[in-house]
Amino acid sequence: MIISFKTKELRALCESLDAAIKAFGAEIAHPLIRRLADLQAAQVLGELPVGNPRPTGHGEIKIDVGEEQCLVIHPLPLDKDVDAHWDSIDRILILEDTTELQCPAEN
């Protein structure tokens, strides 16, 4: 899967274990880097075997990183319907703010 990032800062944090540990601590950084590796290994979102991907209802998708953390992504191109068959989603944009990896409570 092709992964893009909302900001250069987010990209830097997600591409470096050391930077992620410094920013989030090891308990979050290690699962974050593993989940990103899972996303890179998958050809399409429908192949993601872990992370419980689910629509947010706002055109985005949440993917669990740990027990309380998640990534928020959007399929690319940005006008792609998040409810499209997930086997057609092969490009994503990671939107999550670097300071807020807490997964919002489910409504």
Side-chain angles (χ1 to χ4, degrees), residues 8 15 19 22-25 32 37 42 46 48 87 96:
K8 289 179 182 179
E15 291 184 341
K22 187 175 180 180
F24 305 121
L32 171 64
L48 189 65
D87 285 339
E96 186 62 46

Side-chain angles (χ1 to χ4, degrees), residues 5 7 9-33 36 65 69-71 94 96-102:
F5 298 86
T7 66
E9 293 80 13
L10 180 57
R11 174 185 218 91
L13 286 173
C14 290
E15 291 184 341
S16 167
L17 178 59
D18 291 338
I21 289 172
K22 187 175 180 180
F24 305 121
E27 285 185 30
I28 294 174
H30 287 282
L32 171 64
I33 298 299
L36 289 166
V65 170
Q69 293 78 30
C70 68
L71 289 173
I94 297 181
E96 186 62 46
D97 185 330
T98 59
T99 61
E100 298 178 11
L101 273 176
Q102 284 296 107

